[in-house]
């Protein structure tokens, strides 16, 4: 019986839609993109091997014609789709309705080459009604959207393949540049530069506790002295100096003196100002605002937030999650208003539906905002049995924001009191306090805003005082403060910044966050994004020699141009020609790279000045082949991987440079009279007994324990290390000696060929014979597997709902929920590990496992019988070939905007 073949991107989406359609439809997935530009030389078809542009994948001299190849891992799926198409009488391409989805549909059309009618069906939510509407109202493939996606793809390939080799030559191999990732990295680096240049300033203030009659006490801050404003943190510049001379800067002595002079005095209300309070709800979620809220409220990374949202979309719980739009359909508006009335009461339903204008630059997605799916929103309670803890938290967040966006304003009154008092020395002090009383909660009934920067909804009731009323000073607290450098970006705040600048798209934010971390440009310290020293070098090079490529306005204009291509306002080929080849006297990317390469001073771009020591000698951080290091004259020292750049001060740098480097004499061994050295070796620091002498046995050595340092290890400790292995005793059963020693994989005991791991290196010197016999009696475990209590225990993982533990493994600490293990990363520490970070590590690990499932091992091929060797004929020496061009490093084509 003839059937319609429906093709979507993902298996999960296919399963959901198949459940809504009858036997007349077969639903299958393409499993994402089925073809793309070649990833490396091996992907290039034989027919194109000789073309000089083949590895690039774009024939720039022939209208930027792309070379698309079916991914090797997708060939089986393509064969399956072709087989299913033979049994179908109609093909429905049901990929997402954005540019990426349109491009996937076009590639399917090109590769499958159907001989049956083809229709394009689109929807932004997966419900029975939405799917039926899409089937009833198909459209044609939108070639403008395909052209826009293709132009974006070709642009990113050209950018990556031209600029990345510059980084290989001038910084080090394996680095990549990308249209959006390089701009995102620049933003993080610029913030770190601000922190490095920041000079802290100290200031003091006074907080008073006041009481009036039987009213409850309230607090107020000192704001003026003798009618001059008292300095607060915002009054200081980056250099630690006051921005204005008309401000009183209180130090500790002045603050304590004023407080003493006010002790026992009374205050008088100088003014009372009451203003109406009104706060409007925020718009429904776009991709960007959703990621920001999920980061703040649920502590999810951008990638985690998008993975959960995609799962909810594909299973029919929410609408499409990649959108710039804040619009809600008329049906959704009606559903929200109905639910507000039912759940909160009619007084929370405004007279008319709310409509929101999109604020993001270059907004172009044609969908609704992210909202619960369906013509009637299911409450979190109604779906709780179908979702895990993390999915439910995300669904509830989206439900709350959607419903709140259609509720009434929160209203109330804000009162500001100013109180004056005269000190013993006649100085006049003015204190101020504000309190807000919310009389109608409005949307706050559904959505909590207390974690938002502009939140003003915190309630504080003030006594009913009027101008001239007295208030007793009950207590005065003097407190010192220090100005803080600008906060580092988090994933949420970086996404917000990119959106404000008009850089990137909803479909790219999560991947950009991953890319800049995976490339080693950025690492996390808690939730803060810290740039590496390599990122400083890359950004410096691009700023000095390719400034327009990471200019914010230029990058946003490229987004505008791509939108114009999508809207039919301009053609892709002339635009790519201008970008790559240039126009008139304005050089294009190709000429910029070739002309400027020789001007780049590799040593200069890889240098970050730190300052000068006491003698005026410059200390510089440099990025080298083996990582960052410090240089002062002829002195050098490595920089620890987990040291944020703004913490590399001159004192810290000098400490690293002047730290003992090894080959230090600790003293003499009392038994042999030989000198004992501590040395820094290739595999770590160690101690050595005596010098190396030709013709004699090698000196005895011993590795330092993990808690020992070259600069502090003592002779006594060294002699202990050199005494190993330690004889613990003999087994009474057979008289065989048991020894304790340190090995490549940690401390252990051994008896003949039987060994067991110890929990800590210190046990080598403390373990008793009784304990050793007890360990040897236990079943043998895999080397490095220790029977120890977890380092930390956290709440259950929201996905598996199993407790998370932090353990100490063979290769360092890791977190596990019993199903998935995830090692700690650069910037993580056992002491600072939180439940949220552990959940993020596990989620990232699961995603990588899902993206790279282990392939089944092929059975070894049978060897052919060896052919008889013929005598080798003498050949003329072949001329030496020029070294082959290095294949593009993985990720050279950064695919910033690829789905």
């Amino acid at each position: 019986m003839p059937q319609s073949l429906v093709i979507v991107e993902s298996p999960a989406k296919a399963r959901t839609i198949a459940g809504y359609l009858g036997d007349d439809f077969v639903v299958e997935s393409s499993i994402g993109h089925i073809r793309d530009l070649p990833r490396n030389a091996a992907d290039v078809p034989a027919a194109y091997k000789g073309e000089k542009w083949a590895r690039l994948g774009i024939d720039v001299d022939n209208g930027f014609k792309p070379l698309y190849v079916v991914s090797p891992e997708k060939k089986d799926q393509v064969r399956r789709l072709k087989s299913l198409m033979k049994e179908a009488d109609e093909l429905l391409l049901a990929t997402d309705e954005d540019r990426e989805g349109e491009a996937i549909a076009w590639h399917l059309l090109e590769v499958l080459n159907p001989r049956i009618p083809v229709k394009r069906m689109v929807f932004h939510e997966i419900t029975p009604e939405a799917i039926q509407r899409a089937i009833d109202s198909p459209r044609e493939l939108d070639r403008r959207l395909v052209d826009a996606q293709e132009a974006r793809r070709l642009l990113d390939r050209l950018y990556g393949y031209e600029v990345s080799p510059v980084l290989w030559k001038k910084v080090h191999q394996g680095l990549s540049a990308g249209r959006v990732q390089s701009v995102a990295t620049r933003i993080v680096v610029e913030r770190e530069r601000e922190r490095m240049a920041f000079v802290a300033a100290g200031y003091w203030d006074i907080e008073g506790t006041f009481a009036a009659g039987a009213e409850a006490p309230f607090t107020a801050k000192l704001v003026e002295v003798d009618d001059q404003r008292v300095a607060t943190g915002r009054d200081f510049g980056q250099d630690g100096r006051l921005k204005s001379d008309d401000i009183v800067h209180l130090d500790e002595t002045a603050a304590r003196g004023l407080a003493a002079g006010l002790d026992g005095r009374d205050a008088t209300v100088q003014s009372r100002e009451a203003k109406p309070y009104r706060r409007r709800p925020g718009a429904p979620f776009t991709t960007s605002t959703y990621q920001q809220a999920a980061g703040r409220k649920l502590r999810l990374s951008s990638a985690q937030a998008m993975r959960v949202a995609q799962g909810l979309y594909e299973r029919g719980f929410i609408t499409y999650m990649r959108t710039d739009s804040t619009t809600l359909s008329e049906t959704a508006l009606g559903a929200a208003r109905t639910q507000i009335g039912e759940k909160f009461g009619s007084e929370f339903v405004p007279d008319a539906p709310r409509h929101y204008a999109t604020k993001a630059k270059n907004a172009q997605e044609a969908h609704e905002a992210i909202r619960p799916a369906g013509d009637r929103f299911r409450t979190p309670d109604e779906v709780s049995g179908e979702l895990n803890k993390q999915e439910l938290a995300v669904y509830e967040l989206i439900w709350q924001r959607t419903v709140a966006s259609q509720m009434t304003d929160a209203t109330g009154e804000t009162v500001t009191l100013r109180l004056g008092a005269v000190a013993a020395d006649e100085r006049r002090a003015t204190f101020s306090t504000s309190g807000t009383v919310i009389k109608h909660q409005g949307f706050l009934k559904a959505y909590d805003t207390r974690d938002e920067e502009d939140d003003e909804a915190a309630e504080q009731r003030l006594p009913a005082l009027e101008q001239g009323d007295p208030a007793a000073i009950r207590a005065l607290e003097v407190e010192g403060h220090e100005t803080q450098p600008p906060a580092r970006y988090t994933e949420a705040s970086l996404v917000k910044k990119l959106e404000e600048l008009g850089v990137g798209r909803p479909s790219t934010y999560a991947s950009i966050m991953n890319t800049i971390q995976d490339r080693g440009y950025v690492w996390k310290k808690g939730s803060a994004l810290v740039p590496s020293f390599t990122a400083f070098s890359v950004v410096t090079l691009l700023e000095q020699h390719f400034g327009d490529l990471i200019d914010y306005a230029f990058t946003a204009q490229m987004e505008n141009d791509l939108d114009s291509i999508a809207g039919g306002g301009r053609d892709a080929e002339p635009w790519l020609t201008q970008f790559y080849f240039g126009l008139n006297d304005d050089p294009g990317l190709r000429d910029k790279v070739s002309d400027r390469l020789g001007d780049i001073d590799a040593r200069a771009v890889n240098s970050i000045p730190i300052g000068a020591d006491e003698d005026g000698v410059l200390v510089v951080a440099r990025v080298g082949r083996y990582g960052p290091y410090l240089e002062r004259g002829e002195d050098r020292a490595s920089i620890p991987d987990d040291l944020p750049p703004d913490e590399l001060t001159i004192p810290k740098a000098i400490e690293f440079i002047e730290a003992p480097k090894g080959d230090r004499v600790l003293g003499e061994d009392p038994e042999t009279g030989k000198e004992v050295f501590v040395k820094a070796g290739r595999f770590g620091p160690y101690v050595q007994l005596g010098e190396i002498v030709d013709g004699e046995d090698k000196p005895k050595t011993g590795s330092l324990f993990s808690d020992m340092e070259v600069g502090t290890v003592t002779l006594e400790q060294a002699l202990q290390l050199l005494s190993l292995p330690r004889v613990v005793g003999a087994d009474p059963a057979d008289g065989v000696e048991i020894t304790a020693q340190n090995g490549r994989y940690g401390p252990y005991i051994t008896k003949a060929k039987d060994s067991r791991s110890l929990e800590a290196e210190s046990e080598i010197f403390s373990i008793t014979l009784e304990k050793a016999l007890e360990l040897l009696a236990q079943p043998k475990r895999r080397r490095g597997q220790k029977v120890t209590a977890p380092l930390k225990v956290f709440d259950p993982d929201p996905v598996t709902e199993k407790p998370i533990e932090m353990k100490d493994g063979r290769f360092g600490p890791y977190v596990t929920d019993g199903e998935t293990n995830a090692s700690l990363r650069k910037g993580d520490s056992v002491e600072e590990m939180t439940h949220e970070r552990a959940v993020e590590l596990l989620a990232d690990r699961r995603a990588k496992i899902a993206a790279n499932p282990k392939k089944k091992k092929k059975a070894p091929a049978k060897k052919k019988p060896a052919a008889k060797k013929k005598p080798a004929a003498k050949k003329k020496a072949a001329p030496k070939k020029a070294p082959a061009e290095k294949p593009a490093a993985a990720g050279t084509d950064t695919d910033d905007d690829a789905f």
Side-chain angles (χ1 to χ4, degrees):
M1 180 177 177
Q3 292 178 312
S4 296
L5 174 62
V6 180
I7 302 180
V8 298
E9 296 100 330
S10 78
K13 189 174 171 183
R15 286 192 295 271
T16 304
I17 294 175
Y20 299 152
L21 300 176
D23 295 336
D24 294 338
F25 295 85
V26 174
V27 186
E28 186 55 75
S29 76
S30 65
I31 318 179
H33 279 277
I34 59 168
R35 69 175 189 170
D36 196 2
L37 301 174
R39 293 172 296 190
N40 48 47
D43 280 354
V44 177
Y48 294 92
K49 290 284 187 183
E51 301 290 347
K52 62 180 181 180
W53 53 267
R55 232 181 82 255
L56 174 64
I58 306 169
D59 188 352
V60 296
D61 296 319
N62 187 22
F64 292 87
K65 184 177 179 180
L67 171 63
Y68 290 117
V69 295
V70 175
S71 308
E73 62 271 17
K74 296 295 177 67
K75 288 183 178 179
D76 287 344
Q77 189 64 11
V78 169
R79 281 192 287 269
R80 173 169 171 73
L81 293 174
K82 285 182 176 180
S83 175
L84 290 172
M85 199 169 60
K86 291 177 182 178
E87 307 298 323
D89 61 353
E90 181 184 49
L91 175 62
L92 296 173
L93 298 173
T95 51
D96 295 334
E97 65 173 320
D98 58 6
R99 285 191 290 234
E100 209 63 44
E102 207 74 13
I104 293 174
W106 177 75
H107 283 294
L108 284 166
L109 202 60
E110 293 285 301
V111 173
L112 299 179
N113 192 23
R115 297 288 186 266
I116 54 177
V118 179
K119 296 177 181 177
R120 176 81 170 101
M121 59 180 281
V122 294
F123 43 85
H124 60 268
E125 59 182 334
I126 303 175
T127 62
E129 297 80 12
I131 298 302
Q132 189 58 54
R133 284 194 294 268
I135 290 174
D136 294 340
S137 306
R139 65 166 172 80
E140 296 297 317
L141 193 76
D142 190 337
R143 188 55 205 245
R144 293 178 308 173
L145 289 178
V146 175
D147 289 345
Q149 189 279 339
E150 184 172 77
R152 183 183 299 271
R153 183 72 187 90
L154 301 186
L155 172 69
D156 288 337
R157 172 58 66 97
L158 293 169
Y159 190 125
Y161 268 50
E162 289 290 349
V163 181
S164 295
V166 176
L167 303 183
W168 303 347
K169 293 181 177 73
K170 300 299 181 177
V171 184
H172 61 71
Q173 287 287 340
L175 298 177
S176 68
R179 181 173 55 87
V180 179
Q181 75 162 25
S182 295
V183 171
T185 303
R186 177 191 172 191
I187 293 171
V188 178
V189 167
E190 285 188 335
R191 177 56 54 86
E192 196 72 9
R193 286 171 177 165
E194 292 174 11
R195 291 175 63 88
M196 294 170 76
F198 179 79
V199 178
Y203 64 96
W204 289 72
D205 63 15
I206 302 173
E207 182 177 74
T209 300
F210 298 83
E215 297 278 1
F218 62 96
T219 59
K221 287 273 190 181
L222 177 71
V223 292
E224 290 180 0
V225 175
D226 290 334
D227 299 326
Q228 277 192 299
R229 191 163 60 81
V230 174
T232 61
R234 67 175 182 270
D235 295 310
F236 295 88
Q238 284 280 98
D239 57 1
R241 297 179 181 179
L242 282 172
K243 299 176 183 176
S244 171
D245 294 332
D246 299 329
I247 300 173
V248 178
H249 181 192
L250 292 181
D251 58 16
E252 183 178 6
T253 302
R256 294 195 183 281
L258 180 58
L262 291 169
D263 188 29
R265 300 276 175 151
D266 287 332
T268 303
V269 176
Q270 294 179 338
S271 66
R272 179 186 187 276
E273 183 180 11
K275 291 182 178 179
Y277 170 85
R278 179 175 294 274
R279 183 178 172 90
R280 294 175 174 79
F285 282 138
T286 62
T287 302
S288 169
T289 56
Y290 159 65
Q291 289 181 19
Q292 292 168 47
R296 284 194 316 269
K297 295 178 180 293
L298 307 180
R299 299 293 185 265
L300 299 180
S301 68
S302 296
Q304 282 179 289
M306 293 307 291
R307 277 198 294 269
V308 177
Q310 177 138 0
L312 291 174
Y313 164 67
E314 291 176 343
R315 292 162 59 195
F317 288 96
I318 64 170
T319 54
Y320 192 56
M321 64 286 162
R322 293 186 179 92
T323 175
D324 282 331
S325 176
T326 54
T327 302
L328 294 178
S329 67
E330 291 302 319
T331 301
L333 289 172
R337 290 170 63 83
T338 299
Q339 197 158 68
I340 293 165
E342 292 173 351
K343 191 168 181 65
F344 302 106
S346 58
E347 68 272 22
F348 290 90
V349 183
D351 294 338
R354 292 182 182 272
H355 298 279
Y356 296 88
T358 298
K359 295 181 180 179
K361 289 184 181 180
N362 308 324
Q364 50 84 32
E365 306 293 352
H367 320 295
E368 283 189 75
I370 305 171
R371 63 167 175 85
D375 298 339
R376 175 192 169 276
F377 300 162
R378 299 168 70 189
T379 66
D381 287 342
E382 290 176 310
V383 301
S384 60
E386 303 171 55
L387 304 176
N388 65 38
K389 186 177 178 181
Q390 192 173 64
E391 292 168 338
L392 181 60
V394 168
Y395 181 84
E396 184 173 32
L397 181 66
I398 293 169
W399 180 89
Q400 289 173 341
R401 181 70 171 235
T402 305
V403 170
S405 73
Q406 294 304 313
M407 293 176 71
T408 52
D409 295 346
T411 59
E413 184 181 61
T414 297
V415 174
T416 301
L417 292 178
R418 288 174 69 89
L419 302 102
V422 179
D425 59 1
E426 301 300 320
R427 282 188 294 172
R428 301 185 307 280
T430 303
F431 293 80
S432 179
T433 185
S434 294
T436 297
V437 177
I438 297 174
K439 298 177 180 178
H440 173 70
Q441 281 193 298
F443 75 95
L444 296 176
K445 194 84 172 174
Y447 189 78
D448 187 358
T449 64
R450 284 175 293 184
D451 60 346
E452 297 182 4
E453 293 177 5
D454 58 347
D455 179 60
E456 300 172 355
E459 287 196 81
Q460 180 187 352
R461 289 187 177 274
L462 296 176
L465 295 174
E466 298 294 338
Q467 184 174 346
D469 287 348
I473 300 176
R474 289 285 180 83
L476 293 168
E477 183 178 347
V478 178
E479 188 175 5
H481 306 275
E482 192 171 77
T483 56
Q484 298 298 311
R488 290 191 178 97
Y489 286 99
T490 62
E491 287 194 9
S493 60
L494 181 55
V495 165
K496 182 179 181 181
K497 182 67 175 179
L498 289 169
E499 185 183 39
E500 289 172 353
L501 293 170
V503 174
R505 279 289 167 264
S507 59
T508 71
Y509 293 137
S511 65
I512 291 304
M513 298 303 110
N514 279 345
T515 297
I516 60 177
Q517 292 175 66
D518 292 343
R519 299 288 188 270
Y521 293 142
V522 170
W523 54 280
K524 277 188 175 181
K525 184 178 182 183
S527 61
L529 299 176
V530 182
S532 64
F533 287 95
T534 300
F536 273 75
S537 295
V538 169
V539 169
T540 299
L541 185 152
L542 294 175
E543 285 175 333
Q544 293 179 359
H545 301 280
F546 302 96
D548 54 342
L549 295 184
I550 55 171
D551 178 76
Y552 301 140
F554 177 79
T555 308
Q557 183 56 49
M558 284 197 287
E559 296 285 4
N560 281 328
D561 294 343
L562 289 164
D563 292 341
S564 181
I565 293 169
R570 65 187 306 169
D571 294 328
E573 184 184 333
W575 183 74
L576 287 169
T577 299
Q578 181 176 342
F579 173 76
Y580 190 67
F581 290 112
L583 182 67
N584 300 326
D585 295 331
D586 184 19
L589 178 65
R590 187 182 64 171
D591 291 339
K592 287 176 184 176
V593 170
S594 60
D595 293 347
R596 299 175 187 177
L597 185 61
D599 298 334
I600 300 173
D601 182 341
R603 184 174 176 82
V605 299
N606 285 294
S607 301
I608 304 113
I610 304 301
D613 65 9
E614 294 178 353
D615 298 324
V617 180
L618 187 64
V619 179
V620 179
R622 301 195 191 280
V623 175
R625 181 179 179 184
Y626 300 109
Y629 64 94
L630 289 163
E631 187 175 82
R632 182 186 63 177
E634 298 297 319
D635 298 328
R636 291 188 176 190
S638 296
I639 299 173
D641 288 340
D642 58 352
L643 183 72
D646 77 325
E647 294 181 18
L648 186 57
T649 59
I650 277 291
K652 178 70 72 174
I654 292 173
E655 178 187 331
F656 291 144
I657 290 171
E658 295 181 352
K661 303 290 189 300
D663 286 17
R664 183 164 64 95
V665 178
L666 298 176
E668 286 188 358
D669 174 22
E671 291 187 10
T672 64
K674 294 181 178 179
E675 288 185 324
V676 178
F677 299 89
V678 61
K679 295 173 174 282
R682 181 181 175 188
F683 301 107
Y686 64 97
V687 291
Q688 177 177 303
L689 179 62
E691 304 258 18
I692 297 176
V693 179
D694 290 340
E696 295 184 10
D697 292 337
K698 287 185 178 179
K700 189 170 186 178
T701 60
S703 297
L704 266 61
F705 285 178
S706 57
D707 61 349
M708 295 178 181
E709 296 182 4
V710 171
T712 58
V713 67
T714 64
L715 176 61
E716 182 182 1
Q717 290 173 318
L719 292 174
Q720 273 193 313
L721 295 173
L722 291 167
S723 71
L724 297 177
R726 167 183 166 243
V727 177
V728 178
D731 186 342
D734 52 20
V736 177
E737 271 190 351
I738 299 172
T739 60
Q741 51 205 305
N742 213 5
R744 181 179 177 185
Y745 301 115
Y748 66 100
I749 58 170
T750 184
K751 174 191 169 186
K753 294 183 179 180
D754 197 11
S755 63
R756 297 290 186 277
S757 296
L758 297 176
E759 294 182 7
E761 290 168 320
S762 59
E763 283 193 275
I764 294 174
F765 298 110
S766 63
I767 188 169
T768 62
L769 178 59
E770 181 183 8
K771 178 64 175 176
L773 292 170
E774 183 183 323
L775 280 176
L776 290 167
Q778 294 177 2
K780 193 166 187 176
R781 295 179 173 83
R782 175 177 56 80
R783 180 180 290 275
Q785 183 179 357
K786 301 176 183 178
V787 186
T788 58
L791 301 176
K792 279 188 177 181
V793 178
F794 301 102
D795 289 339
D797 182 90
V799 175
T800 63
E801 299 185 356
K802 294 182 177 180
I804 300 175
E805 294 182 346
M806 181 187 289
K807 296 185 175 182
D808 193 9
R810 174 178 167 186
F811 300 108
Y814 65 97
V815 292
T816 179
D817 63 350
E819 295 182 6
T820 306
N821 299 340
S823 298
L824 272 60
R825 297 182 188 167
K826 179 179 177 180
D828 293 328
S829 68
V830 173
E831 295 76 18
E832 297 179 358
M833 180 59 58
T834 63
H835 175 256
E836 291 80 9
R837 178 59 174 160
V839 169
E840 181 181 350
L841 291 171
L842 289 171
D844 288 347
R845 180 62 182 154
R846 286 190 203 101
K848 287 182 179 178
I849 292 172
N852 300 289
K854 292 182 179 179
K855 297 180 180 178
K856 293 181 179 179
K857 291 184 179 180
K858 295 181 180 179
K862 292 182 179 179
K863 290 185 178 180
K864 294 180 181 180
K868 291 182 180 179
K869 290 185 178 180
K870 294 181 180 180
K874 290 185 178 180
K875 293 183 180 179
K876 293 182 180 180
K880 289 185 178 179
K881 292 182 179 180
E885 187 176 359
K886 183 178 176 67
T892 298
D893 172 22
T894 54
D895 298 341
D896 281 322
D897 290 344
F899 173 59

